[in-house]
Amino acid sequence: MRGKVRKLSPPSERQATGGRMQVPLRPEIDTGTGATSGERARAMIEIASVSKRFETSGRKSHLALSDINLTVNDGAFVSILGPSGCGKSTLLYIVGGFVAPSEGVARMKGAAITGPGPDRGPVFQEFALFPWKTVLGNVMYGLRQQGVKRTEAEAQSLRLIEMVGLKGFEHFYPKELSGGMKQRVAIARTLAYRPSVLLMDEPFGALDAHTRTRLQNDLLNIWERDRKTVLFVTHSVEEAVFLSDKVVVMTRAPGRIKQIVDIDLPRPRIRAELLLDSHYQKYVVDIERMIDDGRDDAEHS
Amino acid sequence: MTSARNIVSKLSPLLACLGLLALWQVAALWLDTESFPTAWHALQTVPQVLGDPEQLLNILDSIRRMVIGFSLAVLIAIPLGLAMGRSARVSAFFNPLLMMIYPVPKAALMPVIMLWLGVGDASKTLVIFLGVSLPVIYHSFQGAKAVEEKMLWSGAAMGLSGLQRMIRIVLPAALPEILTGCRTGLVLALITMVTSEMIARQSGAGNILFNAMDMAQYDTVFAMIIIIGALGIVLDAAFDKLRWRLVKWAEPHQEILLGAS
């Protein structure tokens, strides 16, 4: 069966430095554990020299990702930000094991990723719920698959459904829910099987502005509880800055990392306060400028 | 208000039936020929036909062949259609074959099949099988092809293997479409059943019909048409009920609520 991560001998020496140019820094605090081994232990995902080429019709090929190097530490909330077509989703799918890189390797806890697995839980823009299952059935699915007994799986799922604010909707079918509610179910369904990493592919992209804001807040609240590692793809600068510890800014055609920005804003973050915060505003403006520069580059070349 | 409308919509098939019978009655009285008995007369003949043990056995034989042909077809066509929908290679292999068979009326193959398998059950069941298979394959194929990739990815991330994803995600996701194919297949099963018995006249409902025709027993001819027609209507209605139970999650919101209350 695919979906297992193959253990590899020690992670290669290649460090994730490509395209990195850190803007206002929060010093990389590495408490106690000391030196490089501690740094290693904290790395949850390593992406080393990953490129992805898609074969298109007419013997042409399209370079979607070019030489991506990125390390995501355990417990970090990292956003990948870029215009549509910059390959940011493809990068996420490579980490998910849904798409194989053409070159390079992605590792999860030091082991090369060869396929999907329950240690990496995806949440898609399209929700991708199982329409023949109720809300409860969807949330329970992963737990049952892992052999958790029905009563136990049910109890855990009910707690999660309550946590995402859908108490009372347990026996509804996805068809009967709004977009925001569907995405809440999808998040609960993925959280249920306790992946080490959440892979979120523009999860709020299909929602209206109001719903989007509410889900962002709720996601942060949920995240504050257990600080799971999150890789979050978005094209919204505000969303990326509001949620993340680190924003990876990408350029398009081919997709490269332009800059990695550390977001040094205190947590827990309260939206109403943050929107008035000059640091927050500066991050947003700076990153927007970065993306505009990228666009100019692309147009001139 | 709504309940009155409900009653009307529930009764409308019955009203349509009665209307058709009335029309028949009037036409038969007006034409007044021996080869066109009145509806009333034909209806009176139905219990006679069904009361005759030999005729009844014949009809049950037909139904048995139909059930076997239909079941075999569904058992083979659904996995094949799903595999074709999910694998370009499987689809490339079977598609040309099916394209060739699709437009051929399956009853037209009956003479050849009779040559190989005789006039017995095997030939007739095979023709029914062929008739049912194609729409079921086609709809299963379409259903499987339309399954959202991300849904399969979600399953893969939960640890479902390729085969598990096929059975536990592709199959239920494609079920509404598959059942549409099965419903078409069921009607085709009835049609091929009668046609096969017209060609290989040895037993069955089609045989009774044509024997009666030869012997100018027009009452029996029309009674058989009523019986076969009623069989079709009952099977279709029963299947639709089953379909609704299985895929109510895919039906419009309102109907689900009605079903739940």
Side-chain angles (χ1 to χ4, degrees), chain A residues 76-96:
Chain A
F77 198 123
V78 175
S79 286
I80 305 174
L81 178 73
S84 55
C86 73
K88 54 192 192 296
S89 290
T90 306
L91 186 58
L92 194 81
Y93 300 158
I94 288 174
V95 175

Side-chain angles (χ1 to χ4, degrees), chain B residues 197-217:
Chain B
E197 289 162 357
M198 287 175 179
I199 300 166
R201 292 203 11 211
Q202 182 218 22
S203 75
N207 184 43
I208 301 175
L209 205 156
F210 276 74
N211 277 344
M213 187 79 183
D214 289 349
M215 291 186 280
Q217 295 167 340

Side-chain angles (χ1 to χ4, degrees), chain A residues 25-170:
Chain A
L25 280 192
R26 173 176 58 181
E28 276 284 284
I29 24 163
D30 203 358
T31 40
T33 41
T36 40
S37 69
E39 183 76 17
R40 273 285 155 65
R42 289 182 54 203
M44 183 64 101
I45 299 165
E46 293 167 283
I47 298 166
S49 317
V50 160
S51 298
K52 179 66 189 179
R53 192 175 283 283
F54 285 110
E55 303 304 322
T56 52
S57 53
R59 261 185 262 143
K60 279 190 168 178
S61 71
H62 164 70
L63 188 60
L65 289 172
S66 172
D67 195 34
I68 304 287
N69 290 286
L70 178 69
T71 302
V72 177
N73 285 340
D74 189 5
F77 198 123
V78 175
S79 286
I80 305 174
L81 178 73
S84 55
C86 73
K88 54 192 192 296
S89 290
T90 306
L91 186 58
L92 194 81
Y93 300 158
I94 288 174
V95 175
F98 308 121
V99 170
S102 307
E103 284 160 46
V105 64
R107 294 194 196 84
M108 167 83 189
K109 291 179 181 163
I113 292 167
T114 56
D119 52 346
R120 286 150 290 141
V123 175
F124 299 107
Q125 183 178 357
E126 303 88 337
F127 321 129
L129 295 173
F130 304 136
W132 61 94
K133 291 270 178 199
T134 60
V135 169
L136 181 61
N138 268 283
V139 178
M140 277 173 66
Y141 206 95
L143 286 170
R144 294 288 291 148
Q145 177 64 26
Q146 287 175 0
V148 177
K149 267 200 248 144
R150 176 170 290 277
T151 47
E152 176 56 29
E154 226 173 84
Q156 286 185 29
S157 302
L158 289 174
R159 277 199 295 278
L160 268 169
I161 291 168
E162 190 174 354
M163 187 171 93
V164 297
L166 286 179
K167 195 174 166 59
F169 292 94
E170 293 84 356

Side-chain angles (χ1 to χ4, degrees), chain A residues 93 117-118 126 132 141 145 189, chain B residues 148 150 154 157-158 168 249:
Chain A
Y93 300 158
E126 303 88 337
W132 61 94
Y141 206 95
Q145 177 64 26
R189 179 179 69 169
Chain B
E148 225 185 304
K150 305 280 165 67
S154 298
M158 291 175 189
R168 290 175 47 193
W249 51 266

Side-chain angles (χ1 to χ4, degrees), chain A:
Chain A
M1 194 194 78
R2 276 157 35 101
K4 285 276 143 60
V5 196
R6 181 159 44 93
K7 275 278 177 210
L8 269 200
S9 42
S12 100
E13 289 314 303
R14 234 196 182 97
Q15 266 298 357
T17 48
R20 188 191 284 221
M21 211 175 92
Q22 304 202 338
V23 195
L25 280 192
R26 173 176 58 181
E28 276 284 284
I29 24 163
D30 203 358
T31 40
T33 41
T36 40
S37 69
E39 183 76 17
R40 273 285 155 65
R42 289 182 54 203
M44 183 64 101
I45 299 165
E46 293 167 283
I47 298 166
S49 317
V50 160
S51 298
K52 179 66 189 179
R53 192 175 283 283
F54 285 110
E55 303 304 322
T56 52
S57 53
R59 261 185 262 143
K60 279 190 168 178
S61 71
H62 164 70
L63 188 60
L65 289 172
S66 172
D67 195 34
I68 304 287
N69 290 286
L70 178 69
T71 302
V72 177
N73 285 340
D74 189 5
F77 198 123
V78 175
S79 286
I80 305 174
L81 178 73
S84 55
C86 73
K88 54 192 192 296
S89 290
T90 306
L91 186 58
L92 194 81
Y93 300 158
I94 288 174
V95 175
F98 308 121
V99 170
S102 307
E103 284 160 46
V105 64
R107 294 194 196 84
M108 167 83 189
K109 291 179 181 163
I113 292 167
T114 56
D119 52 346
R120 286 150 290 141
V123 175
F124 299 107
Q125 183 178 357
E126 303 88 337
F127 321 129
L129 295 173
F130 304 136
W132 61 94
K133 291 270 178 199
T134 60
V135 169
L136 181 61
N138 268 283
V139 178
M140 277 173 66
Y141 206 95
L143 286 170
R144 294 288 291 148
Q145 177 64 26
Q146 287 175 0
V148 177
K149 267 200 248 144
R150 176 170 290 277
T151 47
E152 176 56 29
E154 226 173 84
Q156 286 185 29
S157 302
L158 289 174
R159 277 199 295 278
L160 268 169
I161 291 168
E162 190 174 354
M163 187 171 93
V164 297
L166 286 179
K167 195 174 166 59
F169 292 94
E170 293 84 356
H171 302 292
F172 278 57
Y173 285 99
K175 187 149 197 150
E176 301 167 281
L177 305 176
S178 68
M181 292 162 91
K182 281 183 197 167
Q183 197 55 291
R184 287 169 189 274
V185 178
I187 291 170
R189 179 179 69 169
T190 301
L191 288 175
Y193 54 90
R194 299 200 178 131
S196 312
V197 179
L198 274 184
L199 303 174
M200 308 191 85
D201 181 24
E202 300 197 44
F204 309 141
L207 308 176
D208 63 81
H210 174 69
T211 311
R212 190 181 179 126
T213 310
R214 285 184 52 190
L215 262 84
Q216 285 169 359
N217 286 328
D218 290 354
L219 176 66
L220 266 195
N221 287 336
I222 291 168
W223 182 78
E224 294 287 353
R225 297 183 193 193
D226 55 359
R227 299 254 175 164
K228 226 176 247 307
T229 311
V230 180
L231 202 53
F232 189 102
V233 166
T234 179
H235 58 251
S236 156
V237 179
E238 288 90 347
E239 183 170 77
V241 174
F242 176 57
L243 296 172
S244 316
D245 297 323
K246 212 176 257 217
V247 175
V248 179
V249 182
M250 288 185 69
T251 57
R252 56 190 280 190
R256 288 180 207 277
I257 294 180
K258 186 180 173 75
Q259 244 171 52
I260 297 176
V261 183
D262 283 302
I263 306 294
D264 188 14
L265 293 170
R267 290 187 189 273
R269 293 182 186 164
I270 317 251
R271 189 180 177 81
E273 291 173 12
L274 215 59
L275 289 182
L276 295 170
D277 186 307
S278 62
H279 292 102
Y280 167 82
Q281 291 161 355
K282 186 163 181 347
Y283 279 124
V284 171
V285 173
D286 282 351
I287 293 174
E288 265 173 5
R289 243 180 230 143
M290 258 174 233
I291 293 173
D292 272 345
D293 286 354
R295 192 166 300 144
D296 289 346
D297 289 351
E299 276 163 14
H300 289 307
S301 62

